[in-house]
PDB file of all heavy atoms in Angstrom:
ATOM      1  N   MET A  32     -82.571  -0.334  73.223  1.00 91.00           N
ATOM      2  CA  MET A  32     -82.214  -1.697  73.598  1.00 91.00           C
ATOM      3  C   MET A  32     -82.349  -1.851  75.101  1.00 91.00           C
ATOM      4  O   MET A  32     -82.001  -0.942  75.862  1.00 91.00           O
ATOM      5  CB  MET A  32     -80.773  -2.021  73.168  1.00 91.00           C
ATOM      6  CG  MET A  32     -80.541  -1.977  71.678  1.00 91.00           C
ATOM      7  SD  MET A  32     -78.847  -2.448  71.234  1.00 91.00           S
ATOM      8  CE  MET A  32     -78.853  -2.078  69.475  1.00 91.00           C
ATOM      9  N   ALA A  33     -82.851  -3.010  75.518  1.00 88.00           N
ATOM     10  CA  ALA A  33     -82.993  -3.269  76.950  1.00 88.00           C
ATOM     11  C   ALA A  33     -81.630  -3.396  77.622  1.00 88.00           C
ATOM     12  O   ALA A  33     -81.477  -3.084  78.806  1.00 88.00           O
ATOM     13  CB  ALA A  33     -83.814  -4.538  77.175  1.00 88.00           C
ATOM     14  N   HIS A  34     -80.626  -3.837  76.871  1.00 89.00           N
ATOM     15  CA  HIS A  34     -79.272  -4.021  77.403  1.00 89.00           C
ATOM     16  C   HIS A  34     -78.289  -3.718  76.280  1.00 89.00           C
ATOM     17  O   HIS A  34     -78.509  -4.125  75.137  1.00 89.00           O
ATOM     18  CB  HIS A  34     -79.092  -5.452  77.908  1.00 89.00           C
ATOM     19  CG  HIS A  34     -77.847  -5.648  78.705  1.00 89.00           C
ATOM     20  ND1 HIS A  34     -76.600  -5.796  78.122  1.00 89.00           N
ATOM     21  CD2 HIS A  34     -77.650  -5.720  80.046  1.00 89.00           C
ATOM     22  CE1 HIS A  34     -75.688  -5.946  79.072  1.00 89.00           C
ATOM     23  NE2 HIS A  34     -76.295  -5.915  80.249  1.00 89.00           N
ATOM     24  N   PRO A  35     -77.174  -3.026  76.585  1.00 84.00           N
ATOM     25  CA  PRO A  35     -76.210  -2.687  75.529  1.00 84.00           C
ATOM     26  C   PRO A  35     -75.677  -3.887  74.751  1.00 84.00           C
ATOM     27  O   PRO A  35     -75.382  -3.787  73.568  1.00 84.00           O
ATOM     28  CB  PRO A  35     -75.075  -1.993  76.303  1.00 84.00           C
ATOM     29  CG  PRO A  35     -75.717  -1.469  77.536  1.00 84.00           C
ATOM     30  CD  PRO A  35     -76.797  -2.453  77.883  1.00 84.00           C
ATOM     31  N   ASN A  36     -75.556  -5.038  75.429  1.00 86.00           N
ATOM     32  CA  ASN A  36     -75.016  -6.217  74.751  1.00 86.00           C
ATOM     33  C   ASN A  36     -75.948  -6.786  73.688  1.00 86.00           C
ATOM     34  O   ASN A  36     -75.553  -7.675  72.926  1.00 86.00           O
ATOM     35  CB  ASN A  36     -74.691  -7.312  75.769  1.00 86.00           C
ATOM     36  CG  ASN A  36     -73.310  -7.139  76.374  1.00 86.00           C
ATOM     37  OD1 ASN A  36     -72.607  -6.197  76.043  1.00 86.00           O
ATOM     38  ND2 ASN A  36     -72.939  -8.038  77.255  1.00 86.00           N
ATOM     39  N   GLN A  37     -77.179  -6.298  73.625  1.00 92.00           N
ATOM     40  CA  GLN A  37     -78.094  -6.781  72.589  1.00 92.00           C
ATOM     41  C   GLN A  37     -77.624  -6.405  71.191  1.00 92.00           C
ATOM     42  O   GLN A  37     -78.067  -7.005  70.211  1.00 92.00           O
ATOM     43  CB  GLN A  37     -79.509  -6.233  72.833  1.00 92.00           C
ATOM     44  CG  GLN A  37     -80.227  -6.928  73.986  1.00 92.00           C
ATOM     45  CD  GLN A  37     -81.650  -6.446  74.140  1.00 92.00           C
ATOM     46  OE1 GLN A  37     -81.932  -5.255  74.080  1.00 92.00           O
ATOM     47  NE2 GLN A  37     -82.566  -7.384  74.343  1.00 92.00           N
ATOM     48  N   ALA A  38     -76.739  -5.441  71.097  1.00 92.00           N
ATOM     49  CA  ALA A  38     -76.178  -5.084  69.777  1.00 92.00           C
ATOM     50  C   ALA A  38     -75.458  -6.274  69.159  1.00 92.00           C
ATOM     51  O   ALA A  38     -75.407  -6.409  67.928  1.00 92.00           O
ATOM     52  CB  ALA A  38     -75.225  -3.896  69.908  1.00 92.00           C
ATOM     53  N   GLN A  39     -74.914  -7.153  69.999  1.00 92.00           N
ATOM     54  CA  GLN A  39     -74.209  -8.332  69.479  1.00 92.00           C
ATOM     55  C   GLN A  39     -75.137  -9.268  68.700  1.00 92.00           C
ATOM     56  O   GLN A  39     -74.684 -10.050  67.865  1.00 92.00           O
ATOM     57  CB  GLN A  39     -73.569  -9.102  70.641  1.00 92.00           C
ATOM     58  CG  GLN A  39     -72.487  -8.314  71.345  1.00 92.00           C
ATOM     59  CD  GLN A  39     -72.208  -8.798  72.753  1.00 92.00           C
ATOM     60  OE1 GLN A  39     -71.630  -8.083  73.552  1.00 92.00           O
ATOM     61  NE2 GLN A  39     -72.602 -10.015  73.066  1.00 92.00           N
ATOM     62  N   LEU A  40     -76.432  -9.168  68.967  1.00 94.00           N
ATOM     63  CA  LEU A  40     -77.382 -10.014  68.246  1.00 94.00           C
ATOM     64  C   LEU A  40     -77.416  -9.690  66.757  1.00 94.00           C
ATOM     65  O   LEU A  40     -77.870 -10.513  65.959  1.00 94.00           O
ATOM     66  CB  LEU A  40     -78.788  -9.848  68.842  1.00 94.00           C
ATOM     67  CG  LEU A  40     -78.958 -10.344  70.288  1.00 94.00           C
ATOM     68  CD1 LEU A  40     -80.356  -9.999  70.803  1.00 94.00           C
ATOM     69  CD2 LEU A  40     -78.722 -11.846  70.374  1.00 94.00           C
ATOM     70  N   LEU A  41     -76.918  -8.521  66.380  1.00 95.00           N
ATOM     71  CA  LEU A  41     -76.822  -8.181  64.959  1.00 95.00           C
ATOM     72  C   LEU A  41     -75.872  -9.133  64.233  1.00 95.00           C
ATOM     73  O   LEU A  41     -76.013  -9.367  63.026  1.00 95.00           O
ATOM     74  CB  LEU A  41     -76.333  -6.734  64.788  1.00 95.00           C
ATOM     75  CG  LEU A  41     -77.283  -5.643  65.268  1.00 95.00           C
ATOM     76  CD1 LEU A  41     -76.594  -4.283  65.204  1.00 95.00           C
ATOM     77  CD2 LEU A  41     -78.548  -5.638  64.436  1.00 95.00           C
ATOM     78  N   ILE A  42     -74.903  -9.670  64.958  1.00 94.00           N
ATOM     79  CA  ILE A  42     -74.000 -10.663  64.391  1.00 94.00           C
ATOM     80  C   ILE A  42     -74.618 -12.056  64.499  1.00 94.00           C
ATOM     81  O   ILE A  42     -74.631 -12.834  63.541  1.00 94.00           O
ATOM     82  CB  ILE A  42     -72.636 -10.631  65.112  1.00 94.00           C
ATOM     83  CG1 ILE A  42     -72.014  -9.220  65.044  1.00 94.00           C
ATOM     84  CG2 ILE A  42     -71.696 -11.665  64.504  1.00 94.00           C
ATOM     85  CD1 ILE A  42     -71.766  -8.726  63.649  1.00 94.00           C
ATOM     86  N   SER A  43     -75.169 -12.368  65.671  1.00 93.00           N
ATOM     87  CA  SER A  43     -75.722 -13.703  65.906  1.00 93.00           C
ATOM     88  C   SER A  43     -76.839 -14.037  64.927  1.00 93.00           C
ATOM     89  O   SER A  43     -76.894 -15.150  64.390  1.00 93.00           O
ATOM     90  CB  SER A  43     -76.259 -13.798  67.341  1.00 93.00           C
ATOM     91  OG  SER A  43     -75.257 -13.472  68.273  1.00 93.00           O
ATOM     92  N   LEU A  44     -77.753 -13.086  64.695  1.00 95.00           N
ATOM     93  CA  LEU A  44     -78.894 -13.359  63.806  1.00 95.00           C
ATOM     94  C   LEU A  44     -78.449 -13.514  62.359  1.00 95.00           C
ATOM     95  O   LEU A  44     -79.022 -14.309  61.609  1.00 95.00           O
ATOM     96  CB  LEU A  44     -79.923 -12.234  63.942  1.00 95.00           C
ATOM     97  CG  LEU A  44     -81.054 -12.465  64.950  1.00 95.00           C
ATOM     98  CD1 LEU A  44     -81.999 -13.552  64.485  1.00 95.00           C
ATOM     99  CD2 LEU A  44     -80.520 -12.811  66.342  1.00 95.00           C
ATOM    100  N   LEU A  45     -77.416 -12.776  61.947  1.00 96.00           N
ATOM    101  CA  LEU A  45     -76.912 -12.954  60.589  1.00 96.00           C
ATOM    102  C   LEU A  45     -76.333 -14.358  60.424  1.00 96.00           C
ATOM    103  O   LEU A  45     -76.580 -15.026  59.423  1.00 96.00           O
ATOM    104  CB  LEU A  45     -75.858 -11.901  60.262  1.00 96.00           C
ATOM    105  CG  LEU A  45     -75.367 -12.004  58.807  1.00 96.00           C
ATOM    106  CD1 LEU A  45     -75.686 -10.737  58.026  1.00 96.00           C
ATOM    107  CD2 LEU A  45     -73.881 -12.281  58.737  1.00 96.00           C
ATOM    108  N   PHE A  46     -75.580 -14.821  61.425  1.00 94.00           N
ATOM    109  CA  PHE A  46     -75.009 -16.163  61.351  1.00 94.00           C
ATOM    110  C   PHE A  46     -76.105 -17.233  61.400  1.00 94.00           C
ATOM    111  O   PHE A  46     -75.975 -18.281  60.749  1.00 94.00           O
ATOM    112  CB  PHE A  46     -74.008 -16.390  62.488  1.00 94.00           C
ATOM    113  CG  PHE A  46     -72.610 -16.012  62.123  1.00 94.00           C
ATOM    114  CD1 PHE A  46     -71.979 -14.944  62.730  1.00 94.00           C
ATOM    115  CD2 PHE A  46     -71.909 -16.714  61.159  1.00 94.00           C
ATOM    116  CE1 PHE A  46     -70.683 -14.586  62.389  1.00 94.00           C
ATOM    117  CE2 PHE A  46     -70.607 -16.376  60.814  1.00 94.00           C
ATOM    118  CZ  PHE A  46     -69.999 -15.303  61.434  1.00 94.00           C
ATOM    119  N   ALA A  47     -77.165 -16.988  62.166  1.00 95.00           N
ATOM    120  CA  ALA A  47     -78.266 -17.945  62.216  1.00 95.00           C
ATOM    121  C   ALA A  47     -78.898 -18.092  60.829  1.00 95.00           C
ATOM    122  O   ALA A  47     -79.165 -19.206  60.369  1.00 95.00           O
ATOM    123  CB  ALA A  47     -79.310 -17.501  63.235  1.00 95.00           C
ATOM    124  N   GLY A  48     -79.133 -16.964  60.158  1.00 97.00           N
ATOM    125  CA  GLY A  48     -79.681 -17.007  58.810  1.00 97.00           C
ATOM    126  C   GLY A  48     -78.735 -17.681  57.839  1.00 97.00           C
ATOM    127  O   GLY A  48     -79.160 -18.483  56.985  1.00 97.00           O
ATOM    128  N   LEU A  49     -77.445 -17.389  57.969  1.00 95.00           N
ATOM    129  CA  LEU A  49     -76.438 -17.987  57.091  1.00 95.00           C
ATOM    130  C   LEU A  49     -76.384 -19.502  57.274  1.00 95.00           C
ATOM    131  O   LEU A  49     -76.334 -20.266  56.304  1.00 95.00           O
ATOM    132  CB  LEU A  49     -75.071 -17.368  57.379  1.00 95.00           C
ATOM    133  CG  LEU A  49     -73.868 -17.922  56.611  1.00 95.00           C
ATOM    134  CD1 LEU A  49     -74.020 -17.700  55.114  1.00 95.00           C
ATOM    135  CD2 LEU A  49     -72.570 -17.267  57.116  1.00 95.00           C
ATOM    136  N   ALA A  50     -76.412 -19.956  58.529  1.00 93.00           N
ATOM    137  CA  ALA A  50     -76.325 -21.390  58.809  1.00 93.00           C
ATOM    138  C   ALA A  50     -77.541 -22.134  58.254  1.00 93.00           C
ATOM    139  O   ALA A  50     -77.408 -23.169  57.597  1.00 93.00           O
ATOM    140  CB  ALA A  50     -76.208 -21.616  60.314  1.00 93.00           C
ATOM    141  N   LEU A  51     -78.733 -21.605  58.512  1.00 95.00           N
ATOM    142  CA  LEU A  51     -79.949 -22.260  58.026  1.00 95.00           C
ATOM    143  C   LEU A  51     -80.045 -22.177  56.499  1.00 95.00           C
ATOM    144  O   LEU A  51     -80.451 -23.132  55.840  1.00 95.00           O
ATOM    145  CB  LEU A  51     -81.178 -21.614  58.664  1.00 95.00           C
ATOM    146  CG  LEU A  51     -81.355 -21.838  60.168  1.00 95.00           C
ATOM    147  CD1 LEU A  51     -82.519 -21.023  60.696  1.00 95.00           C
ATOM    148  CD2 LEU A  51     -81.569 -23.321  60.468  1.00 95.00           C
ATOM    149  N   GLY A  52     -79.659 -21.034  55.962  1.00 96.00           N
ATOM    150  CA  GLY A  52     -79.753 -20.840  54.517  1.00 96.00           C
ATOM    151  C   GLY A  52     -78.865 -21.788  53.740  1.00 96.00           C
ATOM    152  O   GLY A  52     -79.248 -22.269  52.666  1.00 96.00           O
ATOM    153  N   GLN A  53     -77.681 -22.086  54.274  1.00 93.00           N
ATOM    154  CA  GLN A  53     -76.768 -22.988  53.570  1.00 93.00           C
ATOM    155  C   GLN A  53     -77.354 -24.393  53.425  1.00 93.00           C
ATOM    156  O   GLN A  53     -77.102 -25.076  52.426  1.00 93.00           O
ATOM    157  CB  GLN A  53     -75.433 -23.068  54.317  1.00 93.00           C
ATOM    158  CG  GLN A  53     -74.590 -21.817  54.191  1.00 93.00           C
ATOM    159  CD  GLN A  53     -73.254 -21.969  54.902  1.00 93.00           C
ATOM    160  OE1 GLN A  53     -72.321 -22.566  54.393  1.00 93.00           O
ATOM    161  NE2 GLN A  53     -73.176 -21.432  56.103  1.00 93.00           N
ATOM    162  N   LEU A  54     -78.125 -24.824  54.419  1.00 90.00           N
ATOM    163  CA  LEU A  54     -78.714 -26.160  54.370  1.00 90.00           C
ATOM    164  C   LEU A  54     -79.692 -26.303  53.208  1.00 90.00           C
ATOM    165  O   LEU A  54     -79.907 -27.398  52.694  1.00 90.00           O
ATOM    166  CB  LEU A  54     -79.440 -26.465  55.687  1.00 90.00           C
ATOM    167  CG  LEU A  54     -78.570 -26.522  56.943  1.00 90.00           C
ATOM    168  CD1 LEU A  54     -79.441 -26.737  58.172  1.00 90.00           C
ATOM    169  CD2 LEU A  54     -77.540 -27.647  56.827  1.00 90.00           C
ATOM    170  N   VAL A  55     -80.291 -25.170  52.804  1.00 91.00           N
ATOM    171  CA  VAL A  55     -81.262 -25.189  51.711  1.00 91.00           C
ATOM    172  C   VAL A  55     -80.618 -24.771  50.394  1.00 91.00           C
ATOM    173  O   VAL A  55     -80.885 -25.351  49.341  1.00 91.00           O
ATOM    174  CB  VAL A  55     -82.448 -24.257  52.045  1.00 91.00           C
ATOM    175  CG1 VAL A  55     -83.461 -24.245  50.900  1.00 91.00           C
ATOM    176  CG2 VAL A  55     -83.118 -24.692  53.341  1.00 91.00           C
ATOM    177  N   SER A  56     -79.761 -23.749  50.439  1.00 93.00           N
ATOM    178  CA  SER A  56     -79.170 -23.205  49.209  1.00 93.00           C
ATOM    179  C   SER A  56     -78.345 -24.238  48.453  1.00 93.00           C
ATOM    180  O   SER A  56     -78.398 -24.304  47.221  1.00 93.00           O
ATOM    181  CB  SER A  56     -78.283 -22.001  49.549  1.00 93.00           C
ATOM    182  OG  SER A  56     -79.037 -20.950  50.091  1.00 93.00           O
ATOM    183  N   GLY A  57     -77.589 -25.051  49.188  1.00 91.00           N
ATOM    184  CA  GLY A  57     -76.744 -26.044  48.532  1.00 91.00           C
ATOM    185  C   GLY A  57     -77.546 -27.057  47.717  1.00 91.00           C
ATOM    186  O   GLY A  57     -77.357 -27.178  46.504  1.00 91.00           O
ATOM    187  N   PRO A  58     -78.472 -27.786  48.381  1.00 92.00           N
ATOM    188  CA  PRO A  58     -79.274 -28.758  47.620  1.00 92.00           C
ATOM    189  C   PRO A  58     -80.117 -28.115  46.510  1.00 92.00           C
ATOM    190  O   PRO A  58     -80.273 -28.708  45.440  1.00 92.00           O
ATOM    191  CB  PRO A  58     -80.178 -29.380  48.702  1.00 92.00           C
ATOM    192  CG  PRO A  58     -79.422 -29.215  49.969  1.00 92.00           C
ATOM    193  CD  PRO A  58     -78.695 -27.904  49.830  1.00 92.00           C
ATOM    194  N   LEU A  59     -80.652 -26.912  46.757  1.00 94.00           N
ATOM    195  CA  LEU A  59     -81.457 -26.257  45.726  1.00 94.00           C
ATOM    196  C   LEU A  59     -80.612 -25.857  44.524  1.00 94.00           C
ATOM    197  O   LEU A  59     -81.066 -25.940  43.381  1.00 94.00           O
ATOM    198  CB  LEU A  59     -82.157 -25.028  46.304  1.00 94.00           C
ATOM    199  CG  LEU A  59     -83.439 -25.273  47.097  1.00 94.00           C
ATOM    200  CD1 LEU A  59     -84.008 -23.968  47.621  1.00 94.00           C
ATOM    201  CD2 LEU A  59     -84.478 -26.006  46.268  1.00 94.00           C
ATOM    202  N   SER A  60     -79.380 -25.432  44.766  1.00 95.00           N
ATOM    203  CA  SER A  60     -78.513 -25.068  43.640  1.00 95.00           C
ATOM    204  C   SER A  60     -78.145 -26.294  42.811  1.00 95.00           C
ATOM    205  O   SER A  60     -77.968 -26.199  41.595  1.00 95.00           O
ATOM    206  CB  SER A  60     -77.241 -24.363  44.138  1.00 95.00           C
ATOM    207  OG  SER A  60     -76.346 -25.271  44.752  1.00 95.00           O
ATOM    208  N   ASP A  61     -78.051 -27.461  43.466  1.00 94.00           N
ATOM    209  CA  ASP A  61     -77.805 -28.706  42.734  1.00 94.00           C
ATOM    210  C   ASP A  61     -79.016 -29.119  41.907  1.00 94.00           C
ATOM    211  O   ASP A  61     -78.877 -29.766  40.868  1.00 94.00           O
ATOM    212  CB  ASP A  61     -77.464 -29.843  43.708  1.00 94.00           C
ATOM    213  CG  ASP A  61     -76.092 -29.678  44.344  1.00 94.00           C
ATOM    214  OD1 ASP A  61     -75.249 -28.972  43.763  1.00 94.00           O
ATOM    215  OD2 ASP A  61     -75.870 -30.245  45.428  1.00 94.00           O
ATOM    216  N   ALA A  62     -80.207 -28.732  42.369  1.00 94.00           N
ATOM    217  CA  ALA A  62     -81.438 -29.141  41.688  1.00 94.00           C
ATOM    218  C   ALA A  62     -81.887 -28.145  40.619  1.00 94.00           C
ATOM    219  O   ALA A  62     -82.404 -28.541  39.574  1.00 94.00           O
ATOM    220  CB  ALA A  62     -82.551 -29.322  42.713  1.00 94.00           C
ATOM    221  N   LEU A  63     -81.701 -26.854  40.868  1.00 95.00           N
ATOM    222  CA  LEU A  63     -82.260 -25.819  39.992  1.00 95.00           C
ATOM    223  C   LEU A  63     -81.213 -25.085  39.167  1.00 95.00           C
ATOM    224  O   LEU A  63     -81.559 -24.351  38.241  1.00 95.00           O
ATOM    225  CB  LEU A  63     -83.043 -24.795  40.830  1.00 95.00           C
ATOM    226  CG  LEU A  63     -84.176 -25.358  41.693  1.00 95.00           C
ATOM    227  CD1 LEU A  63     -84.783 -24.249  42.538  1.00 95.00           C
ATOM    228  CD2 LEU A  63     -85.238 -26.022  40.832  1.00 95.00           C
ATOM    229  N   GLY A  64     -79.947 -25.244  39.516  1.00 96.00           N
ATOM    230  CA  GLY A  64     -78.899 -24.487  38.841  1.00 96.00           C
ATOM    231  C   GLY A  64     -78.374 -23.381  39.729  1.00 96.00           C
ATOM    232  O   GLY A  64     -79.055 -22.922  40.649  1.00 96.00           O
TER     233      GLY A  64
END
Side-chain angles (χ1 to χ4, degrees):
M32 297 183 187
H34 191 281
N36 275 1
Q37 285 184 316
Q39 295 159 199
L40 294 175
L41 293 173
I42 303 300
S43 304
L44 266 291
L45 184 118
F46 270 113
L49 177 62
L51 292 174
Q53 288 182 80
L54 296 176
V55 179
S56 296
L59 279 179
S60 73
D61 289 338
L63 303 176

